Amino acid sequence: MKPFVSIIIPTYNRAHLIRETLDSILVQTFENWECIIVDDGSIDNTNEIVEKFVVNDSRFQYYHRPSESPKGANSCRNYGFEMSKGKYINWFDSDDIMDSSFVQLKVLELEKETKIDAVISKTIMFRDNITNIVGKENRTFLSENTLQDFLKLNIAWYLPDVMWRRSFLVNKIIFDDELFAGQDRDFHARMLLHNPRLKVIDKYLTYYRLHVDNITLKLDNRQNPVFKISHLYSIVKLTELLSEAGVLSKSLKVFFFKSMMKYLPFVINDKSDLKVLFKLMKSLSFVNLEIIINWVKIFFAYISFKLFGKGEKFLK
C-alpha cells in the first residue's frame, strides 16, 4: 500500500494565484495525497476557485481558520496539521508551484531511508510564469553544524522544501501563531533543536513566485513596520530558546546583534518596541570588540534619528 501524504496550504486573498498552485498538485506523478487548504478569512473569490477543486477531486479539502484561533498563516498551518492524516507532511504556499515529481521523489527517499525524519529539496525563484527564472537557492545543504549555519543564513531552505515524517512532528509545538514574519525560519530553527535526521536531494522541485505581496518584500517598509516588528519579536523568542538549549554561541550572538541593530529605524518612534530591541541587544552583548563598536554606532544612529529623522548610515 502506498504511503499517504498531506499537503497543507494556508491562503488569504490568493484567488489570482492559487489556481495555478492547485493545478500543480493535481498533476503530481504520486497520487496518494490529500491537499488541505485553510483559508485565513479571504474576502476575494478564493472560496469560489478552491470549491471547484474540492467538487472535482475529493483529495482537496477546504477549511476556514477557526474563529478562536489568531489570524495568520501559522494558525492555518497548525489547524491544517490537526486535520491531516498523512504519514508524511509537506506544508506549501498558495502562490508557489510544485514540479510534477515534487511528492514522488520525496516519498521515495523517506520510504527508502526509514531512519530519516525529513527530506529537503531545493527552490527556484520565478516571476510571472515558471519559464521566467530569476534565481536559484544554492544554500540548501547540510553541514557539521546545520543549526548554527542555518541561523547565520549560510544554509537556507524554504518551508515547501521539506517533507516531514509525521512521527517526528507529533507532540511538538509546530508553528508559533503569534508571528506574522520570520515564520519559516522560526519553525525550522525550533525543529532543528530537536536534532532531526535530514537528507537533501539535489533537485529543484519548488517554484517560488516573486510578486508584490511577498512578506519578505514588505519587511523593509518603514511606513508599515508591522512585519518588521513581528520579526523582531520572533528573534527575541528564538534567542531565548537557543539560550535555554545552550546553543546560543558567541558567534551567533554577534550575528544576531549585527542583524538586529538595523531594526532601529523601525522602532525609533515606539518606546515599547525600542525597549524590546535594546533589551534583546543587551542580552546578546558580551566583551567583544565588534559588539562594542556597534554599540557606538547605535548610539550615534539613535541621536541622529532623534535630531534629524535619519541615521541609517551609522548602522552599516
Side-chain angles (χ1 to χ4, degrees), residues 14 95 208-219:
R14 287 284 169 79
D95 52 351
Y208 177 90
R209 187 190 301 270
L210 297 175
H211 58 93
V212 294
D213 289 328
N214 288 135
I215 289 179
T216 50
L217 298 180
K218 297 179 179 179
L219 268 177

Side-chain angles (χ1 to χ4, degrees), residues 3-9 25 30 32-36 59 61 80-92 98 102-103 107 162-164 166 169:
F4 194 49
V5 176
S6 296
I7 303 162
I8 301 170
I9 303 176
I25 296 172
F30 183 91
N32 198 29
W33 50 260
E34 63 176 357
C35 179
I36 298 173
R59 292 176 297 178
Q61 301 172 36
F81 181 65
E82 290 176 24
M83 297 296 102
S84 69
K85 300 178 180 66
K87 178 181 179 181
Y88 303 126
I89 306 293
N90 208 125
W91 283 279
F92 207 72
M98 291 183 179
F102 180 97
V103 176
V107 169
V162 191
M163 182 176 285
W164 294 93
R166 183 187 198 89
L169 298 169

Side-chain angles (χ1 to χ4, degrees), residues 41-52:
S42 297
I43 55 175
D44 61 0
N45 63 325
T46 294
N47 182 81
E48 176 185 337
I49 291 169
V50 174
E51 287 290 358
K52 288 181 180 179

Side-chain angles (χ1 to χ4, degrees), residues 25-267:
I25 296 172
L26 197 57
V27 298
Q28 288 298 299
T29 54
F30 183 91
E31 299 179 344
N32 198 29
W33 50 260
E34 63 176 357
C35 179
I36 298 173
I37 302 118
V38 183
D39 199 307
D40 194 31
S42 297
I43 55 175
D44 61 0
N45 63 325
T46 294
N47 182 81
E48 176 185 337
I49 291 169
V50 174
E51 287 290 358
K52 288 181 180 179
F53 282 88
V54 173
V55 169
N56 293 329
D57 193 321
S58 61
R59 292 176 297 178
F60 289 101
Q61 301 172 36
Y62 189 37
Y63 297 94
H64 293 267
R65 171 183 50 78
S67 58
E68 67 270 16
S69 298
K71 180 173 174 55
N74 273 357
S75 284
C76 296
R77 292 176 180 124
N78 285 331
Y79 185 68
F81 181 65
E82 290 176 24
M83 297 296 102
S84 69
K85 300 178 180 66
K87 178 181 179 181
Y88 303 126
I89 306 293
N90 208 125
W91 283 279
F92 207 72
D93 290 328
S94 60
D95 52 351
D96 296 336
I97 296 173
M98 291 183 179
D99 181 90
S100 61
S101 61
F102 180 97
V103 176
Q104 182 174 11
L105 291 178
K106 294 181 178 183
V107 169
L108 284 173
E109 292 297 330
L110 286 163
E111 288 289 288
K112 182 173 64 177
E113 300 192 33
T114 57
K115 291 186 177 180
I116 63 173
D117 298 306
V119 62
I120 306 169
S121 59
K122 300 182 177 182
T123 286
I124 290 176
M125 294 79 170
F126 76 99
R127 186 173 280 111
D128 300 326
N129 62 75
I130 61 172
T131 61
N132 184 22
I133 303 300
V134 296
K136 292 184 176 182
E137 181 53 77
N138 296 316
R139 296 172 295 167
T140 306
F141 53 86
L142 305 176
S143 70
E144 291 183 3
N145 196 332
T146 297
L147 173 61
Q148 297 271 330
D149 285 327
F150 184 84
L151 291 170
K152 292 179 182 178
L153 305 181
N154 297 323
I155 288 176
W157 55 74
Y158 299 76
L159 189 61
D161 293 337
V162 191
M163 182 176 285
W164 294 93
R165 198 178 296 274
R166 183 187 198 89
S167 57
F168 175 81
L169 298 169
V170 172
N171 296 325
K172 292 181 176 67
I173 298 174
I174 308 297
F175 291 92
D176 183 342
D177 58 18
E178 294 182 354
L179 298 183
F180 297 108
Q183 298 167 335
D184 294 18
R185 190 181 182 202
D186 173 79
F187 165 73
H188 286 132
R190 285 186 292 103
M191 294 304 103
L192 286 171
L193 278 170
H194 291 283
N195 298 311
R197 293 159 293 189
L198 306 173
K199 181 172 183 178
V200 173
I201 56 175
D202 190 20
K203 299 285 185 180
Y204 287 91
L205 302 178
T206 304
Y207 291 88
Y208 177 90
R209 187 190 301 270
L210 297 175
H211 58 93
V212 294
D213 289 328
N214 288 135
I215 289 179
T216 50
L217 298 180
K218 297 179 179 179
L219 268 177
D220 293 327
N221 184 351
R222 292 270 299 277
Q223 279 67 50
N224 184 21
V226 59
F227 291 105
K228 201 74 169 183
I229 301 304
S230 180
H231 194 257
L232 164 63
Y233 281 84
S234 78
I235 299 299
V236 170
K237 289 184 177 182
L238 180 57
T239 53
E240 288 175 351
L241 193 63
L242 294 170
S243 181
E244 290 171 6
V247 295
L248 187 59
S249 64
K250 289 183 177 180
S251 63
L252 267 180
K253 286 184 175 183
V254 172
F255 173 82
F256 281 123
F257 190 100
K258 291 172 67 176
S259 300
M260 300 314 295
M261 61 189 287
K262 295 181 175 63
Y263 282 54
L264 182 62
F266 297 87
V267 300

